Amino acid sequence: MQALKDRIILEGTVLPGEVLKVDNFLNHQIDVAFLDEMGRAFLELFPDCHRATKVLTVEASGIAIAMPVARLLSVPLVFAKKAKSSNIDDSYYVSNVRSYTYDKHYQIILSKKYMTHTDHVLIIDDFLARGEALSGLIDLVNQAGASLIGAGVAIEKGFQPGGRKLREKGYDVRALATIAAFENGSVRFSEE
Amino acid sequence: MQALKDRIILEGTVLPGEVLKVDNFLNHQIDVAFLDEMGRAFLELFPDCHRATKVLTVEASGIAIAMPVARLLSVPLVFAKKAKSSNIDDSYYVSNVRSYTYDKHYQIILSKKYMTHTDHVLIIDDFLARGEALSGLIDLVNQAGASLIGAGVAIEKGFQPGGRKLREKGYDVRALATIAAFENGSVRFSEE
């Protein structure tokens, strides 16, 4: 999505540790009209998306980018929650996620009420790097016995292994913008 | 908002500790079309809202309910973040919030880039009970020197002191649905 690449170039900040901050329109301040555009671009990425019965993401910043997609598809958005307590009962699907950013593990949970084997699920999230969060979401879909249409992310760090690993497992993972490398504090995108 | 009261009656669950769960459409699974309706209802609650230059909420579930309001007003949505690390530099406004649910304090932060003294701010959040989160958001607006139009919440627990305290301080706080009491596991609403 060229408009997204343009905004990343113009407004993104590359921080030490290969962190890209896009706080100006996606992760802290949200440009709602632009996220609607991104929603339409996700629909073009996944020709099968109109079979979806649910859009799935994970709190917090995933909610903003997934909501326009759910609106365009006229289906509910479900967001997995980061578990805050250890007493999670068996009414939830639970998956373990490793966070490299904060160097710890956490659990994401999804109520069994909101996903079943009859669902067709499109996963939407903001970033894909090592793929830990996305793997957790796919795990939740599989636990539910639901059918996964695919997983769309706004920005993929193509130089990290998450996307490749998931595609090798057969999942349809697509990105609106794929970063090939950070070079001297600026961003080089992969060819389409 | 009658449609919201109807859904709370029909789909809400009252748990011990006067907790109302509305996971079916607001806090876990999100009914996007219904949240758009709620967005329009917020606009009716605040005749002055068209002066807004920013909508402010706090992650995570506030994002879903605040986004339609920002869309309708054609202004950016900014969400305060729950601080994850102790090394917050002076590029952020910081406010301390007490969470009764989890019996601890946490900090919410807002980049100074995304709110200044020229902004007119409408705060939107999902729940108002003791008012701790809303007080924190108001504190951030005040630190920025911005002008606060008001604060709209989807559901207020009118039997808890948060709303009254904030109104006594002169803030324009309004709710789409105000709960007067929980009685034998069911919900009684305040008169309009």
Side-chain angles (χ1 to χ4, degrees):
Chain A
M1 183 187 177
Q2 192 56 47
L4 175 58
K5 294 180 184 175
D6 292 345
R7 284 198 83 156
I8 292 169
I9 297 279
L10 212 65
E11 301 173 34
T13 315
V14 181
L15 300 179
E18 303 197 312
V19 172
L20 174 67
K21 279 190 87 164
V22 284
D23 274 7
N24 196 38
F25 62 95
L26 183 58
N27 288 122
H28 188 13
Q29 176 167 261
I30 293 170
D31 181 336
V32 180
F34 189 69
L35 265 63
D36 283 346
E37 269 186 62
M38 292 169 68
R40 287 187 287 273
F42 277 123
L43 264 55
E44 288 173 22
L45 276 189
F46 292 97
D48 266 8
C49 66
H50 292 282
R51 292 192 298 115
T53 58
K54 295 272 165 71
V55 171
L56 175 68
T57 191
V58 59
E59 64 179 3
S61 55
I63 296 171
I65 180 65
M67 218 171 149
V69 179
R71 171 182 289 102
L72 290 164
L73 294 173
S74 300
V75 299
L77 168 65
V78 183
F79 63 95
K81 298 187 176 198
K82 291 170 181 164
K84 290 193 184 69
S85 63
S86 52
N87 52 348
I88 298 158
D89 63 33
D90 65 0
S91 65
Y92 289 93
Y93 307 115
V94 181
S95 190
N96 291 302
V97 175
R98 176 165 176 192
S99 165
Y100 284 86
T101 315
Y102 300 107
D103 191 25
K104 61 178 182 184
H105 287 75
Y106 60 96
Q107 293 184 309
I108 58 174
I109 62 174
L110 170 64
S111 169
K112 293 181 179 175
K113 277 197 286 188
Y114 302 130
M115 195 161 294
T116 72
H117 68 282
T118 62
D119 276 312
H120 296 263
V121 181
L122 180 63
I123 294 174
I124 298 289
D125 205 357
D126 52 352
F127 272 94
L128 168 58
R130 292 187 178 83
E132 301 288 335
L134 204 48
S135 296
L137 289 172
I138 291 171
D139 181 27
L140 294 175
V141 173
N142 288 336
Q143 287 182 46
S147 160
L148 182 66
I149 294 169
V153 298
I155 302 169
E156 177 175 352
K157 292 179 179 171
F159 55 87
Q160 291 198 348
R164 181 178 49 76
K165 281 184 188 170
L166 289 167
R167 290 180 189 104
E168 283 173 3
K169 289 182 182 169
Y171 296 114
D172 188 8
V173 177
R174 298 167 190 240
L176 297 182
T178 303
I179 296 171
F182 295 123
E183 289 169 347
N184 305 318
S186 69
V187 177
R188 183 166 60 79
F189 291 102
S190 302
E191 301 302 311
E192 305 279 305
Chain B
M1 183 188 175
Q2 192 57 46
L4 176 58
K5 294 179 185 176
D6 292 345
R7 285 198 82 155
I8 292 170
I9 297 280
L10 212 64
E11 301 173 35
T13 315
V14 181
L15 301 179
E18 303 196 311
V19 172
L20 173 68
K21 280 190 87 163
V22 283
D23 274 7
N24 196 39
F25 61 95
L26 183 58
N27 288 122
H28 188 13
Q29 176 167 260
I30 293 170
D31 181 336
V32 180
F34 189 68
L35 266 62
D36 283 345
E37 268 186 63
M38 291 169 69
R40 287 187 288 273
F42 276 123
L43 264 54
E44 288 173 21
L45 275 189
F46 293 96
D48 265 9
C49 66
H50 292 281
R51 291 192 298 116
T53 59
K54 295 272 164 72
V55 170
L56 175 67
T57 192
V58 59
E59 63 178 4
S61 55
I63 297 171
I65 180 65
M67 219 172 149
V69 179
R71 172 182 287 102
L72 290 164
L73 294 172
S74 299
V75 299
L77 168 64
V78 183
F79 64 93
K81 299 187 177 199
K82 291 169 182 166
K84 289 191 186 71
S85 64
S86 51
N87 52 348
I88 299 159
D89 63 32
D90 66 359
S91 66
Y92 290 92
Y93 307 114
V94 181
S95 190
N96 292 301
V97 175
R98 176 166 177 190
S99 165
Y100 284 85
T101 315
Y102 300 106
D103 191 26
K104 61 177 183 184
H105 287 75
Y106 61 96
Q107 293 185 308
I108 58 174
I109 62 174
L110 171 64
S111 170
K112 292 181 180 175
K113 276 196 286 188
Y114 302 129
M115 194 161 294
T116 73
H117 68 281
T118 62
D119 276 312
H120 296 263
V121 181
L122 180 61
I123 294 174
I124 298 289
D125 206 357
D126 53 352
F127 272 94
L128 168 58
R130 292 187 178 84
E132 302 288 335
L134 203 48
S135 296
L137 289 172
I138 292 171
D139 182 27
L140 295 175
V141 173
N142 289 336
Q143 287 182 46
S147 161
L148 181 66
I149 294 169
V153 296
I155 302 170
E156 178 176 352
K157 292 179 179 171
F159 55 88
Q160 290 197 349
R164 180 179 51 75
K165 281 183 186 171
L166 290 167
R167 290 181 189 105
E168 282 173 3
K169 288 182 183 170
Y171 297 115
D172 187 7
V173 178
R174 296 167 194 241
L176 297 182
T178 303
I179 295 170
F182 294 123
E183 290 168 347
N184 305 317
S186 67
V187 177
R188 182 164 61 78
F189 291 102
S190 302
E191 300 301 313
E192 305 279 304

